[in-house]
Amino acid sequence: MAQINENFLKLSGAYLFSTIAAKVRAYREQHPDREIISLGIGDVTRPLAPAVVEALQRAAREMGDAATFRGYGPEQGYAFLREAIVKHDFEARGIAMSPDEICINDGAKSDTGNFQELFGADARIAVTDPIYPVYVDSNVMGGRTGELLSDGHWSKVVYLACDAQNGFMPELPREQVDVIYLCYPNNPTGTVITRQALQTWVDYAREHDAVILYDAAYEAYIQDPDIPHSIYELEGAREVAAEFHSFSKTAGFTGLRCGYTVVPKELTAKTRDGRRVALNPLWVRRQSTKFNGTSYLSQRAAEAVYSPEGREQVEQSIAYYMRNAQKICETLQALGLRYFGGSNAPYVWVRTPQGMDSWQFFEAMLHETAVVCTPGVGFGPSGEGYVRLTAFGTHEQTDEALQRLAGWLTKK
Ligand code: PLP
């Protein structure tokens, strides 16, 4: 009989967003006339940039012509895209990077979920809390997390709490950890890390022989010139960090799919008998076995994001969302609610009022205003007492949602 990987049974039944969707569906059935607005799920609403659409059309025509048709592409991605990434995302910031340290993927979720496969079953994982759930859940599948405790923590995971008390800056782990997940600008809190604080993490990882998995999926939203866009802006990071990027939130690719992972050649981990092994060839080997590449169309579309027109158009979309973020912050401020993030990220992390917990506030807001938020506790135990609002709606939807919110909370 085929035995299952019982680690899967440890996972909670529904992914956070499926639970939210079920609750919204139930509300819609009870209130069919009410227009529901979502400030919850982190999906974009702006269409693709015209430069991206033109690149897609060109690529589609090439694929329809025998002279220019492409089948399987290079396993790490086409050189034209890897070279554009190196030039614009790294060299333009004074970071040396080689195209063969870049692996193109179908978005950051796959690689942030899959990268843990490179580590041993007893590797100790540290995560900031709250956190993007994929990091922990993929390690649950990998059998590294122990048992789920009644407080929502996994027994073998080291949680680095991020809350208002520590200004959302995690403390360095007090015990030995092997793999550290960091995400800045952060989903869900919308907070960022300074260059100095990030250097502390790089130094820590070098000293303690840990690997940092740095998720930079939201770096395009950074407005403050002093905030690092990449961990490789910090000295020594090439030896200790892999980095994940995505065109999803940068350029509206959530439906098109493209991203990339950086695995520098200096990045190593140890075998049980103490031998150092480079992670780049291991990751390339893993990808070439289990992943057959991102479509040529998506890669040509991603290349167009770096063209002069593409960059300008993409920046306009980001500015559009950041105007929403600013309005959300202004409204919360006027309502006297405590909030964090929203100035270098498309997420605003709101303290729930009057001692309500995350799900109570979610339910009350849905029923009173028909506006959907994301309960903070769904991102980890330290998210309890917070909800996440996103700036990814249209201006009209966001304004309407904020008006409803103001009406409800001033009435309360
Ligand atoms: N990383 C973070 C922190 C995210 O919030 C998301 C998506 O919401 C992703 C990665 C995955 O994005 P994608 O797979 O669309 O590139």
Side-chain angles (χ1 to χ4, degrees):
M1 190 169 56
Q3 281 198 344
I4 53 159
N5 172 353
E6 294 196 17
N7 293 316
F8 279 74
L9 301 183
K10 296 180 178 175
L11 290 164
S12 66
Y15 185 58
L16 171 64
F17 293 105
S18 322
T19 313
I20 294 172
K23 286 182 188 283
V24 172
R25 231 180 359 259
Y27 177 83
R28 184 174 287 124
E29 276 162 22
Q30 286 159 12
H31 305 87
D33 303 333
R34 198 87 163 99
E35 189 218 348
I36 298 171
I37 301 177
S38 179
L39 295 187
I41 199 155
D43 201 355
V44 293
T45 51
R46 305 282 300 150
L48 291 170
V52 169
V53 175
E54 281 160 29
L56 277 170
Q57 288 166 335
R58 268 196 309 276
R61 280 194 295 273
E62 282 181 57
M63 293 295 261
D65 181 337
T68 48
F69 168 77
R70 315 248 183 162
Y72 291 124
E75 278 155 353
Q76 271 185 255
Y78 283 99
F80 62 76
L81 180 54
R82 289 189 285 135
E83 282 162 11
I85 287 167
V86 164
K87 181 169 169 208
H88 296 281
D89 287 351
F90 296 101
E91 287 176 357
R93 297 199 171 102
I95 303 166
M97 191 66 71
S98 158
D100 54 10
E101 295 173 309
I102 308 285
C103 301
I104 307 299
N105 60 31
D106 61 352
K109 186 183 232 177
S110 318
D111 285 10
T112 52
N114 291 331
F115 208 83
Q116 46 81 26
E117 288 180 17
L118 299 195
F119 302 107
D122 46 10
R124 199 76 199 263
I125 304 297
V127 294
T128 52
D129 173 27
I131 195 165
Y132 177 54
V134 170
Y135 314 146
V136 173
D137 286 1
S138 55
N139 277 289
V140 174
M141 295 171 185
R144 272 179 218 98
T145 56
E147 301 307 317
L148 185 60
L149 306 173
S150 57
D151 64 0
H153 288 116
W154 291 91
S155 59
K156 287 191 182 163
V157 174
V158 174
Y159 288 86
L160 310 165
C162 294
D163 52 29
Q165 263 170 346
N166 61 14
F168 295 90
M169 273 304 111
E171 275 180 32
L172 294 170
R174 298 209 184 104
E175 53 207 295
Q176 175 62 34
V177 296
D178 306 307
V179 180
I180 303 163
Y181 288 85
L182 295 179
C183 170
Y184 291 102
N186 188 258
N187 177 16
T189 66
T191 56
V192 286
I193 192 162
T194 61
R195 219 172 281 278
Q196 202 182 12
L198 189 54
Q199 185 68 62
T200 314
W201 281 96
V202 170
D203 294 346
Y204 173 91
R206 291 175 81 186
E207 195 182 326
H208 294 85
D209 214 352
V211 172
I212 297 175
L213 301 182
Y214 194 76
D215 189 342
Y218 296 95
E219 61 81 18
Y221 289 82
I222 293 172
Q223 313 288 309
D224 180 341
D226 290 334
I227 300 295
H229 287 251
S230 163
I231 196 165
Y232 305 115
E233 291 179 40
L234 286 307
E235 203 191 319
R238 289 178 58 85
E239 291 162 33
V240 290
E243 184 168 274
F244 305 95
H245 287 251
S246 169
F247 294 96
S248 283
K249 309 300 160 67
T250 305
F253 275 47
T254 52
L256 187 56
R257 313 302 303 150
C258 195
Y260 66 91
T261 295
V262 186
V263 191
K265 290 180 193 139
E266 294 91 322
L267 179 62
T268 59
K270 277 188 184 159
T271 59
R272 222 175 263 286
D273 58 10
R275 208 163 30 93
R276 279 207 174 273
V277 177
L279 294 188
N280 179 298
L282 284 196
W283 181 245
V284 171
R285 183 71 177 82
R286 188 266 174 214
Q287 288 298 80
S288 51
T289 301
K290 296 193 178 183
F291 179 65
N292 243 347
T294 309
S295 79
Y296 176 66
L297 270 69
S298 291
Q299 295 192 56
R300 278 294 184 200
E303 181 194 26
V305 170
Y306 296 104
S307 68
E309 315 78 57
R311 288 172 65 160
E312 201 186 308
Q313 292 158 3
V314 160
E315 274 167 24
Q316 279 169 13
S317 283
I318 289 171
Y320 179 98
Y321 294 132
M322 289 311 285
R323 270 203 299 283
N324 284 341
Q326 194 186 345
K327 281 196 180 163
I328 294 172
C329 293
E330 284 165 5
T331 305
L332 296 172
Q333 175 92 35
L335 290 168
L337 289 182
R338 278 191 90 190
Y339 67 90
F340 306 88
S343 46
N344 289 292
Y347 296 125
V348 184
W349 191 238
V350 190
R351 190 88 180 97
T352 54
Q354 296 163 5
M356 287 171 122
D357 71 27
S358 297
W359 278 108
Q360 283 168 341
F361 189 79
F362 166 89
E363 300 267 6
M365 186 161 142
L366 178 62
H367 285 270
E368 294 292 332
T369 67
V371 176
V372 180
C373 62
T374 312
V377 70
F379 297 100
S382 295
E384 182 56 280
Y386 292 88
V387 295
R388 189 193 71 175
L389 299 182
T390 86
F392 286 127
T394 64
H395 284 166
E396 296 74 19
Q397 285 170 333
T398 307
D399 290 348
E400 168 67 20
L402 292 174
Q403 268 179 30
R404 291 188 201 171
L405 202 62
W408 169 48
L409 290 171
T410 39
K411 185 177 77 185
K412 263 180 111 191

